[in-house]
Amino acid sequence: MQSDASMNVETKRWLESLNDRQREAVLAGAGPVLVVAGPGTGKTKTLTVRLAYLLAERHVAPEALLAMTFTTRAAREMRERLERLIGSQADRVFLGTFHSFCFQLLKAEGHRLDLPPDFGVADRRDQITIMQRALRRLGQPDTRTATQRKLHEVIAFRNRQANIEPPVDDTGLAEIAEAYQRQLRKCDLLDFDELLFLGVRLLEGFADVRESLRQRYAHVLVDEYQDVDPVQQQLLGFLAGDRSRLWVVGDGDQAIYAFRGVESEHVLGFEQHFPNGRVITLDQSYRFTPQIAAAASQVIRQNALRRPLTLNTANASGVPVHVVSFPDEQAEAAWIVRQIEERVGGTSHYQQYKGKVTDTVSRREQSFRDVAVLCRLHALTKPLQEALRNSGIPHRVVGEARFFDKSIVKDVLAYLRVMHNPHDDSSFAHVLNRPPRGIGGQTQAALEAEAEQHGLSLYDALRRSVVLSSSQMRAVKSMITLLEEAQRKTEEKSLSQFIAYVADVTGLRQWRIDQDPRHENDLLLLRSIAAKYDEVNTATALEQFLEEATLAVEVDDYDASIDAVSLMTIHAAKGLEFSEVMLCGVEEGSLPRENADLEEERRLFYVALTRAKERVWLLHCRSRFLFGGRHDREPSRFLQEFDDSLKDTTVMPDRPRRSKPEAEQLSLLG
């Protein structure tokens, strides 16, 4: 370990801002090193100071550092922090997601796997369209529901095949997977999961590529290590070699992605996997009150498969955890709205709507962005969404639909993808009749069949098609001319200007705004996201922007600067924090879910609790309408797993029942 005397002043200042355990993790020598970091213990700060220390004191070249995480949002936050510490050197460090790393690797070396140099990545819309074609070729049902089901089954099938499990004997799925793969390649596309599979295949099959990367990266750092799946574990093995360069941070108590094939065994068994490995535990949390820390620790202690970790905090004492019982989901929604109005302030529209005007809505203790309503499933928030709309309280549903899935955004991205790769059939099919050009579904299906018959892309097939009428052919030729002219404009405009130009020249902007004026705001936001690439050559910027749009996951849409109440699932809230958290549906059957792994469900509850900094409300209903029926509900067992001294329980009374008319009153009608 380096002595303090030989360190520069800046490094000493960074290290002085850390506690003893964080400092030990930053200064750790050769690995492998596992940093077990409980919620709010400063794992991101520790990781970024570790990177800065390696650069400043170990004199590691920026290009020799590889730091990977799971969301673009987390990577962006790390990069911003690193820039504040070391300035422009941060731009030369690879700080990104596993998928973005594999994307760049396959762009550089994918020719070894016979990938086209300009391959794109299929988004969810592309995947569904391509699976429909594959099912149609096989004579199988291709309704949207059937397609989505088969897509899910094929992805799970491929994951099992890739995860070094015994071969799965399922000829039917194998045939569908192969047909789906052929259709992807016909469009010069990979899908999201293939990026990882093919990245691993490349490193496994080509020793020179593998050794080149090992020579390049002296240190491999991983955030959220508990979320690494078996394929990502293989990738890390190929990159880290003897693992001495591996430094990872994670928390098995926050492993909540078993449904994706992720288990936390690699965190639990770290010393067994790496006998020379070192484990450092961060348990001092700076996020929440002692009451929240104690409640969360008592609950998670019930799990058997975990590393011992009890959260500590020096923060000031706060209020108890609030447990509230409601007669039904309508009462729950009304109560949440009143709490937000009283704590944040607002117009009290909801109370006027319910005939209960009050003068108590002026306290403004918080901003709307400080409040989050979490749930196990989005379906639990439907009554609340309606109540919030009626109240006029600003809110957003995070993770339910990506920004990049909005109508005008999907349209513009499809045009950009076609300009980048005219043989992307999925994108070409999307733009063919947007705006309308008189080419209906039957004509488009005939075109696709014609292209398939001649082994052509849609773009090439259109030039020689015999299924189009003369007016349709004129419209299509006009569109192709327009696309080719637009391609020539790429060097004349910045990317954000080019997006505006494409939206206007194709007629998309006016067509969508005529349908709904709110599309204008979506287009402006798309341009603002693209503006960060405006200093880059537009052709290069276009490729980088399409990569970002495709690789973004739902939770990347969260923007902390927007002053609105956040509604999101517990999975989407992971990695975030809020002053006040309300957790809905803390009921048997919802949290924990029926027949689910109890320890995983308890980890979900733990993650939800530890998103709150000051106050947390745990809400449950005695009756709830869900999935088409009304059901009696019992409070979650998790509510009994922490001391009564840490909680404050309120039971809201049942709604008064209407009394039935007496028989003699009814007889008046006789």
Side-chain angles (χ1 to χ4, degrees), residues 252-273:
D253 288 338
Q254 298 185 71
I256 57 173
Y257 293 107
F259 66 92
R260 293 181 184 167
V262 176
E263 303 290 347
S264 57
E265 188 274 336
H266 53 286
V267 175
L268 293 173
F270 190 80
E271 294 94 335
Q272 286 71 44
H273 290 303

Side-chain angles (χ1 to χ4, degrees), residues 247-510:
W247 188 101
V248 300
V249 58
D251 178 13
D253 288 338
Q254 298 185 71
I256 57 173
Y257 293 107
F259 66 92
R260 293 181 184 167
V262 176
E263 303 290 347
S264 57
E265 188 274 336
H266 53 286
V267 175
L268 293 173
F270 190 80
E271 294 94 335
Q272 286 71 44
H273 290 303
F274 311 116
N276 62 333
R278 183 176 177 186
V279 178
I280 301 165
T281 300
L282 308 184
D283 57 10
Q284 180 74 20
S285 182
Y286 300 91
R287 177 179 298 165
F288 29 66
T289 64
Q291 287 84 352
I292 294 172
S297 294
Q298 289 177 20
V299 169
I300 201 62
R301 202 175 295 144
Q302 307 300 315
N303 277 1
L305 297 174
R306 64 183 296 265
R307 285 181 170 275
L309 187 152
T310 298
L311 294 170
N312 300 302
T313 182
N315 290 347
S317 183
V319 298
V321 172
H322 302 276
V323 178
V324 189
S325 172
F326 300 96
D328 56 34
E329 70 281 357
Q330 299 298 331
E332 178 185 61
W335 182 91
I336 290 172
V337 167
R338 285 197 299 274
Q339 284 294 315
I340 294 171
E341 288 188 318
E342 290 177 6
R343 300 199 63 74
V344 180
T347 58
S348 195
H349 291 164
Y350 188 72
Q351 296 193 21
Q352 293 179 34
Y353 170 73
K354 301 297 285 186
K356 298 179 181 177
V357 180
T358 177
D359 292 327
T360 63
V361 291
S362 57
R363 292 163 66 185
R364 293 195 177 277
E365 295 181 8
Q366 306 284 357
S367 298
F368 290 114
R369 70 170 68 90
D370 295 322
V371 180
V373 181
L374 308 184
C375 57
R376 181 69 172 78
L377 301 168
H378 271 303
L380 293 173
T381 69
K382 298 303 180 186
L384 177 59
Q385 290 182 50
E386 181 181 357
L388 289 169
R389 280 194 295 270
N390 289 330
S391 75
I393 290 175
H395 64 282
R396 62 310 192 28
V397 181
V398 178
E400 189 172 42
R402 300 188 318 148
F403 167 75
F404 289 114
D405 287 333
K406 289 178 177 276
S407 296
I408 194 168
V409 176
K410 285 201 299 185
D411 295 341
V412 171
L413 289 175
Y415 270 103
L416 294 177
R417 287 191 179 106
V418 168
M419 292 175 193
H420 179 63
N421 174 16
H423 304 295
D424 179 346
D425 277 4
S426 180
S427 295
F428 202 96
H430 184 87
V431 304
L432 194 54
N433 203 41
R434 287 182 175 87
R437 296 184 177 88
I439 300 172
Q442 287 186 336
T443 305
Q444 188 158 323
L447 275 170
E448 290 174 3
E450 187 179 39
E452 179 78 12
Q453 180 183 356
H454 293 96
L456 300 172
S457 66
L458 269 177
Y459 179 80
D460 288 334
L462 280 171
R463 297 176 177 277
R464 50 184 287 182
S465 175
V466 296
V467 302
L468 296 178
S469 68
S470 57
S471 61
Q472 289 172 330
M473 184 59 84
R474 282 194 299 273
V476 166
K477 285 185 175 178
S478 174
M479 181 189 76
I480 290 175
T481 300
L482 181 151
L483 290 172
E484 291 172 346
E485 288 177 355
Q487 279 179 312
R488 289 192 285 272
K489 298 279 187 183
T490 55
E491 299 306 317
E492 301 175 15
K493 302 176 184 294
S494 68
L495 183 60
S496 60
Q497 291 171 337
F498 185 65
I499 285 173
Y501 169 75
V502 169
D504 282 331
V505 77
T506 58
L508 270 178
R509 179 178 171 277
Q510 195 59 54

Side-chain angles (χ1 to χ4, degrees), residues 517-660:
R518 287 177 294 185
H519 287 306
E520 180 75 66
N521 290 330
D522 292 337
L523 183 59
L524 288 171
L525 182 53
L526 182 67
R527 290 185 61 195
S528 71
I529 294 171
K532 66 185 174 186
Y533 297 101
D534 279 354
E535 301 305 313
V536 182
N537 168 275
T538 304
T540 303
L542 179 57
E543 183 171 349
Q544 293 174 350
F545 177 64
L546 290 176
E547 175 192 348
E548 177 184 346
T550 303
L551 299 183
V553 294
E554 286 85 349
V555 294
D556 286 327
D557 286 343
Y558 176 76
D559 183 347
S561 67
I562 298 173
D563 192 21
V565 174
S566 294
L567 276 63
M568 62 179 80
T569 65
I570 301 170
H571 286 97
K574 189 160 170 291
L576 301 177
E577 60 182 27
F578 302 89
S579 295
E580 310 200 2
V581 167
M582 301 178 185
L583 178 60
C584 295
V586 189
E587 302 148 11
E588 292 293 312
S590 294
L591 189 63
R593 291 187 70 182
E594 199 171 345
N595 300 322
D597 179 89
L598 187 60
E599 294 210 351
E600 172 106 351
E601 296 294 300
R602 190 175 283 113
R603 289 194 292 268
L604 271 169
F605 184 67
Y606 175 80
V607 166
L609 268 179
T610 55
R611 298 312 93 197
K613 295 192 287 185
E614 298 172 13
R615 289 182 174 85
V616 60
W617 284 270
L618 305 176
L619 314 178
H620 66 91
C621 293
R622 302 187 289 277
S623 170
R624 189 181 291 275
F625 188 87
L626 192 63
F627 303 128
R630 180 160 293 283
H631 308 279
D632 290 338
R633 311 287 278 180
E634 293 294 327
S636 170
R637 69 193 75 184
F638 299 149
L639 296 175
Q640 303 305 317
E641 293 183 350
F642 60 100
D643 292 347
D644 288 344
S645 62
L646 297 171
K647 70 183 79 159
D648 178 27
T649 302
T650 302
V651 178
M652 306 300 287
D654 289 336
R655 296 175 183 272
R657 295 185 177 182
R658 295 179 182 176
S659 57
K660 293 183 179 179

Side-chain angles (χ1 to χ4, degrees), residues 86-212:
I86 63 168
S88 61
Q89 279 193 93
D91 293 336
R92 294 157 56 198
V93 175
F94 182 92
L95 256 170
T97 65
F98 282 88
H99 288 87
S100 64
F101 174 82
C102 287
F103 180 87
Q104 293 182 25
L105 173 62
L106 292 171
K107 280 290 182 182
E109 300 288 349
H111 61 277
R112 297 172 184 251
L113 300 177
D114 297 324
L115 296 179
D118 58 349
F119 74 82
V121 180
D123 62 17
R124 189 68 175 177
R125 170 187 58 81
D126 295 327
Q127 287 182 281
I128 290 171
T129 301
I130 288 166
M131 178 59 80
Q132 278 182 319
R133 287 189 200 144
L135 293 173
R136 203 174 297 140
R137 302 290 182 271
L138 296 172
Q140 296 202 23
D142 63 345
T143 64
R144 187 170 184 82
T145 301
T147 300
Q148 288 177 322
R149 185 173 61 252
K150 284 299 180 189
L151 182 60
H152 177 77
E153 290 174 0
V154 163
I155 290 171
F157 170 78
R158 288 193 321 190
N159 286 343
R160 291 195 300 272
Q161 301 291 75
N163 287 354
I164 329 175
E165 296 181 5
V168 180
D169 184 16
D170 194 327
T171 308
L173 272 180
E175 183 182 24
I176 295 171
E178 189 178 334
Y180 169 67
Q181 193 95 356
R182 280 198 305 270
Q183 290 298 319
L184 278 171
R185 292 298 178 271
K186 181 173 174 289
C187 300
D188 288 348
L189 292 175
L190 309 183
D191 70 15
F192 198 65
D193 294 309
E194 276 190 293
L195 291 172
L196 298 180
F197 300 151
L198 293 178
V200 166
R201 185 184 301 173
L202 179 70
L203 295 179
E204 186 175 35
F206 296 91
D208 60 323
V209 178
R210 186 169 66 244
E211 291 306 316
S212 172

Side-chain angles (χ1 to χ4, degrees), residues 1-8 11-12 15 27 53 57:
M1 184 181 292
Q2 188 173 358
S3 68
D4 285 357
S6 63
M7 289 183 189
N8 68 45
T11 308
K12 287 181 181 178
L15 294 175
L27 298 176
Y53 168 76
E57 298 300 327

